[in-house]
Amino acid sequence: MASLNTQSVASDQTLFVEQLPSHLRPEPVVGPVHGEAHRQRRQALARAVAARSNGRPAIVLAFSGKEILRNRDNPYAFRFNSDFFYLTGFPEPDAWLVMRIDAHGEMTDRLYCLPRDPEREIWDGVRTGPEQAAERYLFDESLSLAEIDNDLPELLIDQPTLVAPWAESQAIESRLSGWLQQCRSKARAGKKAPSELLSLGDLVARQRLFKDQAEMMTMRQAAAISAKAHCLAMQTTRPGLAEYNIEAVLLQAFRGQGAESVAYGSIVAGGPHSCILHHRAGHRVMREGEMLLIDAGCELHGYASDITRSFPVSGRFSPEQKAVYEVVLAAQEAARAATVAGAAFTAPHEAAVRVLCEGLIHLRLIASTTVEQAIETEAYKTYYMHRTGHWLGMDVHDVGDYCEPLAPGMVLTLEPGLYLRPSPSLPEAFWNIGIRIEDDALVTEQGCELITRGVPVDPQAIEDLMAGRA
Ligand code: GLY
Ligand code: MN
Ligand code: MN
């Protein structure tokens, strides 16, 4: 029986790790967790479904996803559906989770997965197969995917509620409708098809908003890997390098520390590009005197990290760069202080906006005379046009209701910024200064913990790191 898989993969990291300065050497990465944590999530979902359907029996379906071709016969790296993986920990494509929930919220579950196939496995790697899946991933039973079209219409009979990934893709939708129609065709024999159709995504979103211990552990690891990658990127940056050189450092650091992927396309934005919010790393060569904004994070075992740092290409802030940087840093500190259990999700944003307005007025970058006026007229939006954060989890912009008050176990980003594009209304020394500072905050009983602070934010600490003094 498998529960926590805590096998270390550090021994596979020697090549990359040996090159790192000692203070940047990563902790050993713990392998993905699967088993008991996922079973508990399925049980919690079963209770939520029973409560929602007033105790009427229900079937829950979740699908792992299909491989998608990138070109001709060449697939993209497979990335499982987040809801499916959250509930199962099963990483293979073409798998369906089926849960049966009784009137008391008790559930039995089974996994349909691809059967073993010696011929395909030579090319694509070993499959778990239905013989092993139940024991390894703690399902009541596991069956071959080939059985599902026979079984599903029968399983749906006389089940009033069906929870499924509705409206997620045409392929899934047509699968679900096919099973439902077959079930409905048995009406003349006195059998009933589900009449209440509920969205799996809506139900799981609330659960995913509150991270359990296994998730917090993985998110801390992802955060630590990304923080080290940012440190290395800072140490490498100098005039004459291109944005793609720095992206390569980030990718090497993510994969070299055991992360499977990026959580989103890395933003490496030099000079004028620093004022483009989601500029993807390109070919532009960085110059003395410019800012570099890096917004990049790895995905580890299905969990995202999301960090932004902004720093001078030359390693020394100009007075204007530093002045703007300190305003953004103070805004982030205000957002952090407002990130407390019970507060509205909007509280950190509102706190950050006030400080940004104060700074913009102080630097004479907007004409408003008071913070209230700057907020009321939205004068600050010329330079700060996005919100201060989002939920973070398996998806970088994670699921979850933004009307929920903050509570322990939630993870959100705190990412204020200022983007000063060239404009006749700005002194030229401020042109092309784009600054965002983003950390990942875990809400605790006491306030919040910034889990990404393995990379410095203090301007002096950044200059020291870039100069090799740290
Ligand atoms: N990395 C995308 C974002 O910060 O929202
Ligand atoms: Mn973000
Ligand atoms: Mn980001």
Side-chain angles (χ1 to χ4, degrees):
M1 189 174 99
S3 55
L4 280 190
N5 171 6
T6 52
Q7 189 190 352
S8 164
V9 294
S11 56
D12 297 329
Q13 300 174 12
T14 43
L15 263 184
F16 174 71
V17 169
E18 277 169 8
Q19 296 166 15
L20 292 177
S22 58
H23 67 288
L24 291 179
R25 293 219 174 121
E27 299 300 317
V29 171
V30 174
V33 170
H34 58 73
E36 194 49 41
H38 296 80
R39 187 163 173 79
Q40 284 174 15
R41 292 174 201 163
R42 296 195 293 279
Q43 284 165 336
L45 175 63
R47 290 191 291 275
V49 170
R52 178 67 196 274
S53 61
N54 294 320
R56 296 189 302 163
I59 296 281
V60 173
L61 302 178
F63 182 52
S64 70
K66 293 194 88 62
E67 279 199 324
I68 299 170
L69 288 183
R70 183 175 186 277
N71 59 55
R72 209 163 140 75
D73 57 354
N74 207 330
Y76 285 104
F78 176 68
R79 168 49 159 83
F80 36 73
N81 171 274
S82 295
D83 288 338
F84 174 89
F85 191 76
Y86 174 80
L87 293 169
T88 65
F90 189 76
E92 296 176 23
D94 277 314
W96 284 88
L97 167 68
V98 180
M99 293 166 50
R100 269 180 106 136
I101 302 167
D102 70 14
H104 309 290
E106 296 294 324
M107 65 108 193
T108 53
D109 55 19
R110 61 169 68 158
L111 185 83
Y112 290 90
C113 61
L114 289 172
R116 300 295 305 271
D117 180 341
E119 173 65 22
R120 274 318 319 159
E121 288 179 38
I122 289 172
W123 294 89
D124 302 333
V126 175
R127 294 177 183 171
T128 306
E131 300 80 5
Q132 292 285 319
E135 187 187 355
R136 200 174 298 167
Y137 291 88
L138 303 190
F139 300 108
D140 293 318
E141 55 184 336
S142 44
L143 299 160
S144 167
L145 186 67
E147 311 289 328
I148 198 166
D149 286 325
N150 270 337
D151 292 357
L152 240 291
E154 289 292 322
L155 280 170
L156 294 177
I157 288 172
D158 294 335
Q159 301 289 321
T161 301
L162 173 58
V163 182
W166 303 107
E168 286 195 8
S169 82
Q170 281 194 345
I172 297 178
E173 198 75 11
S174 87
R175 217 66 204 282
L176 295 171
S177 323
W179 293 329
L180 260 184
Q181 276 163 17
Q182 282 190 54
C183 185
R184 284 174 185 148
S185 72
K186 298 179 200 299
R188 272 173 308 200
K191 319 244 166 140
K192 284 209 169 79
S195 55
E196 183 183 40
L197 306 180
L198 298 180
S199 156
L200 175 73
D202 288 352
L203 282 155
V204 177
R206 180 158 170 77
Q207 233 176 300
R208 280 175 51 190
L209 196 45
F210 299 86
K211 274 60 182 177
D212 61 31
Q213 290 300 321
E215 293 183 286
M216 286 185 208
M217 181 183 80
T218 305
M219 290 193 75
R220 281 178 201 283
Q221 287 190 339
I225 289 171
S226 294
K228 284 192 172 117
H230 275 260
C231 288
L232 288 164
M234 278 181 189
Q235 290 180 310
T236 308
T237 297
R238 55 182 160 74
L241 290 180
E243 291 169 350
Y244 62 75
N245 292 126
I246 303 306
E247 183 185 26
V249 171
L250 294 163
L251 292 174
Q252 153 86 333
F254 293 160
R255 288 296 281 145
Q257 295 180 84
E260 289 87 5
S261 169
V262 290
Y264 51 92
S266 301
I267 295 162
V268 181
H273 290 164
S274 66
C275 296
I276 301 172
L277 302 182
H278 282 176
H279 170 81
R280 294 286 292 270
H283 287 78
R284 189 176 178 282
V285 172
M286 296 174 284
R287 300 191 195 133
E288 182 86 30
E290 293 179 346
M291 289 297 292
L292 180 66
L293 182 155
I294 299 179
D295 182 346
C298 71
E299 180 177 299
L300 178 71
H301 311 333
Y303 284 84
S305 51
D306 186 5
I307 302 180
T308 308
R309 291 293 184 265
S310 312
F311 53 90
V313 168
S314 64
R316 291 292 299 244
F317 286 88
S318 72
E320 291 78 12
Q321 289 167 345
K322 192 161 183 181
V324 179
Y325 188 94
E326 281 179 338
V327 171
V328 178
L329 187 56
Q332 200 211 32
E333 175 52 26
R336 188 203 58 76
T339 303
V340 292
F345 179 83
T346 49
H349 175 68
E350 285 159 9
V353 164
R354 290 193 72 79
V355 175
L356 292 174
C357 288
E358 274 166 24
L360 289 168
I361 293 168
H362 178 73
L363 294 174
R364 300 178 191 278
L365 298 178
I366 54 176
S368 315
T369 49
T370 64
V371 168
E372 284 66 30
Q373 188 190 28
I375 292 173
E376 201 175 303
T377 59
E378 299 188 338
Y380 68 90
K381 284 198 172 174
T382 308
Y383 305 118
Y384 184 47
M385 56 299 277
H386 60 79
R387 308 285 293 180
T388 302
H390 49 83
W391 301 130
L392 184 72
M394 297 194 71
D395 302 328
V396 63
H397 296 161
D398 208 27
V399 292
D401 184 349
Y402 282 96
C403 295
E404 288 273 354
L406 300 179
M410 292 177 170
V411 181
L412 65 157
T413 64
L414 301 175
E415 48 179 307
L418 287 174
Y419 311 91
L420 310 183
R421 282 161 292 170
S423 154
S425 59
L426 276 183
E428 213 170 313
F430 284 100
W431 288 9
N432 296 318
I433 297 179
I435 291 170
R436 178 161 68 251
I437 303 173
E438 176 173 29
D439 282 288
D440 303 345
L442 168 64
V443 183
T444 63
E445 301 285 349
Q446 292 76 35
C448 75
E449 177 193 342
L450 301 181
I451 60 176
T452 39
R453 281 296 175 87
V455 52
V457 280
D458 175 70
Q460 185 62 54
I462 289 174
E463 288 187 353
D464 287 349
L465 184 64
M466 292 184 76
R469 291 191 293 268

